[in-house]
Amino acid sequence: KNEVEQSPQNLTAQEGEFITINCSYSVGISALHWLQQHPGGGIVSLFMLSSGKKKHGRLIATINIQEKHSSLHITASHPRDSAVYICAVLNPGNQFYFGTGTSLTVIP
Amino acid sequence: EAQVTQNPRYLITVTGKKLTVTCSQNMNHEYMSWYRQDPGLGLRQIYYSMNVEVTDKGDVPEGYKVSRKEKRNFPLILESPSPNQTSLYFCASSLRQGLYNEQFFGPGTRLTVL
């Protein structure tokens, strides 16, 4: 069973392109997190949200609770954005479920 | 520096030899968690702890034990490791669990069980 589905699995973009990564989930949630895993393996938290939209620099995250769907957008993509992006949902029982990640490569 | 540390970073062991992976945070966080990451399966939660002396099973707890005797430490114990526990393990912590509590991840421990 996959509580969290991400698409696409792999994405290659030219520098400057607008990028969208999608996340759909099937469980009730308290919050949704977007994580970034660097090529070296380290993981950092990008966003936590339960409704609406959040923006940090060139990154925007949106969530539609009714449709159980979230998107991560990257505007004006740059090679340093190359990483694996992971969607994670926190259920009301404080358990996390993760998508399998989207591997993004931005070509100069 | 605020951080989550894990030790060891790399470990190769043999089936059945008990091992412990340590996790420590210096941010006075209440919530701590262990995950394993496998190709094609992504991250999966093993155990988590809401606070000292409180631990709960995650999605894949079989073959693992944890303890939370102090707030800062959350060791992962494999009593009898098997090859299917070969994986990349991450410890993470957050101030508490809830919407606006960012998770901080450790650097990962790559475990190989022969």
Side-chain angles (χ1 to χ4, degrees), chain B residues 32-80:
Chain B
M32 297 186 75
S33 185
W34 275 104
Y35 306 98
R36 61 178 289 175
Q37 186 176 38
D38 302 288
L41 297 176
L43 286 158
R44 291 178 292 169
Q45 191 170 36
I46 304 170
Y47 270 96
Y48 62 98
S49 170
M50 299 292 288
N51 212 326
V52 175
E53 301 293 0
V54 180
T55 62
D56 285 290
K57 294 178 181 179
D59 208 22
V60 288
E62 296 78 18
Y64 304 95
K65 285 175 58 177
V66 294
S67 68
R68 188 90 183 274
K69 295 176 182 173
E70 307 166 277
K71 202 170 191 178
R72 64 183 294 126
N73 296 321
F74 190 45
L76 179 69
I77 303 156
L78 284 72
E79 295 269 4
S80 183

Side-chain angles (χ1 to χ4, degrees), chain A residues 7-29:
Chain A
S7 63
Q9 281 191 305
N10 297 286
L11 182 56
T12 300
Q14 290 290 128
E15 183 173 355
E17 284 186 7
F18 181 85
I19 288 163
T20 296
I21 298 170
N22 295 299
C23 174
S24 296
Y25 54 92
S26 59
V27 296
I29 69 168

Side-chain angles (χ1 to χ4, degrees), chain A residues 37-54:
Chain A
Q37 186 167 26
H38 300 296
I43 300 175
V44 296
S45 180
L46 296 176
F47 291 104
M48 298 152 284
L49 64 168
S50 66
S51 65
K53 177 178 171 178
K54 283 195 172 182

Side-chain angles (χ1 to χ4, degrees), chain A residues 41-43 98, chain B residues 3-8 21-25 27 29 31-37 43-49 66-68 71-76 88-94 103-109:
Chain A
I43 300 175
F98 298 82
Chain B
Q3 60 183 347
V4 179
T5 57
Q6 293 179 229
N7 283 292
V21 184
T22 64
C23 173
S24 184
Q25 50 90 7
M27 296 170 279
H29 284 174
Y31 184 91
M32 297 186 75
S33 185
W34 275 104
Y35 306 98
R36 61 178 289 175
Q37 186 176 38
L43 286 158
R44 291 178 292 169
Q45 191 170 36
I46 304 170
Y47 270 96
Y48 62 98
S49 170
V66 294
S67 68
R68 188 90 183 274
K71 202 170 191 178
R72 64 183 294 126
N73 296 321
F74 190 45
L76 179 69
L88 179 59
Y89 291 86
F90 288 98
C91 179
S93 72
S94 62
Q103 278 208 96
F104 293 83
F105 286 81
T109 294

Side-chain angles (χ1 to χ4, degrees), chain A residues 15 36 38-39 58 76-83 85 104 106-107:
Chain A
E15 183 173 355
Q36 181 190 53
H38 300 296
R58 295 179 295 106
S77 59
H78 190 275
R80 65 174 173 267
D81 297 325
S82 297
Y85 292 85
L104 171 66
V106 181
I107 299 169

